[in-house]
Amino acid sequence: MRTPDYPSPDAPKWAAVDTYFADLLAPCDDALNSALAANEKSGLPTHDVSALQGKFLALLVQMTGASKVLEIGTLGGFSTIWMARALPENGVITTIERNPDHARVAQENLSVAGVREKVDLRIGAAVEVLPSLEGPFDLIFIDADKPNNPVYLEWAIKLARIGTVIVGDNVVRGGGVISPESTDQNVVGVRQFLDMLSTDHRLDSTALQTVGTKGWDGFSISIVKAL
Ligand code: DHB
Ligand code: MG
């Protein structure tokens, strides 16, 4: 069980409802469970999306008809597996991981899940890998180090087309996101990112808070409406 960064007396209930929903709507098969087990065994941070969030991303892939997906921040590839499985026959997800140890775990998890040929795993800092990518991507999931979120958003727009959907993970920061004076660089990065979502005329956006197995968290969701 992951440790939420926001302690709440209701957290066990949030998690129990998540488990109830996940058992019904987003059950993990052996490959997904073994990916989580491998991540834990290798000491990866427990920052994977929840199963329901993975399913949400998979549904977004299908709803948008995406065949070219970009993920910034692979970690152990749990979300990558969800999205890769939702791709059409010719679909590809490019996913970027800075930490070579994490990338090795991800590579194995992706192979076990049978999606290795749908995934273009790039090992390196996203700020270095992104300029080498060719767009446009149909769906972009930003889920890496939060201080660089503004840079990742600029790149996401550069690698987009009109209609591309951009999802940002972890925009709540335990509620810290509302603190303009915060010195937490994760909060600073997420606030700059949200300011950009608010003011950039190329984007139309919302943000949704979530509670569940990850505690109190949330996503931003944007559509690129001009370039
Ligand atoms: C953190 C990062 C994540 O991508 C996540 O899903 C949860 C937490 C973090 O850096 O705290
Ligand atoms: Mg995340």
Side-chain angles (χ1 to χ4, degrees):
M1 178 59 83
R2 57 179 86 242
T3 318
D5 58 1
Y6 179 76
S8 162
D10 287 328
K13 247 197 262 184
W14 300 342
V17 173
D18 238 19
T19 302
Y20 168 67
F21 284 163
D23 287 348
L24 288 172
L25 306 173
C28 286
D29 64 2
D30 289 348
L32 286 164
N33 282 323
S34 85
L36 292 177
N39 294 355
E40 189 177 351
K41 186 163 160 245
S42 304
L44 268 57
T46 51
H47 291 166
D48 319 270
V49 298
S50 69
L52 290 161
Q53 291 172 343
K55 181 71 180 280
F56 171 69
L57 294 169
L59 288 169
L60 272 185
V61 170
Q62 295 170 82
M63 288 168 176
T64 57
S67 61
K68 200 169 154 65
V69 174
L70 171 62
E71 177 179 59
I72 305 175
T74 316
L75 192 62
F78 186 73
S79 48
T80 323
I81 295 170
W82 277 104
M83 288 189 278
R85 285 177 165 178
L87 285 168
E89 193 64 49
N90 63 342
V92 174
I93 174 167
T94 300
T95 185
I96 308 171
E97 177 52 47
R98 176 179 52 192
N99 184 315
D101 296 325
H102 297 179
R104 253 191 304 279
V105 176
Q107 183 139 346
E108 178 62 19
N109 289 339
L110 295 166
S111 298
V112 168
V115 295
R116 195 63 194 89
E117 70 290 347
K118 282 190 139 75
V119 181
D120 176 14
L121 173 60
R122 305 287 184 103
I123 304 169
V127 288
E128 275 154 37
V129 174
L130 285 163
S132 73
L133 299 182
E134 205 172 310
F137 291 91
D138 307 310
L139 175 69
I140 301 175
F141 181 45
I142 300 177
D143 189 20
D145 56 308
K146 311 312 169 194
N148 273 319
N149 260 20
V151 182
Y152 299 152
L153 181 57
E154 278 301 344
W155 273 107
I157 297 167
K158 273 187 208 154
L159 293 167
R161 56 168 169 78
I162 290 173
T164 292
V165 171
I166 300 174
V167 178
D169 197 18
N170 315 116
V171 296
V172 174
R173 312 310 314 172
V177 70
I178 59 171
S179 302
E181 71 285 355
S182 178
T183 54
D184 176 342
Q185 290 311 299
N186 295 314
V187 170
V188 172
V190 168
R191 283 182 61 85
Q192 283 172 1
F193 174 80
L194 290 164
D195 279 345
M196 290 166 70
L197 297 189
S198 161
T199 56
D200 194 310
H201 70 279
R202 297 170 293 182
L203 300 174
D204 203 9
S205 304
T206 189
L208 295 173
Q209 301 183 69
T210 59
V211 293
T213 53
K214 291 190 74 169
W216 180 24
D217 211 319
F219 289 115
S220 66
I221 304 173
S222 308
I223 189 161
V224 177
K225 58 178 188 176
L227 289 173

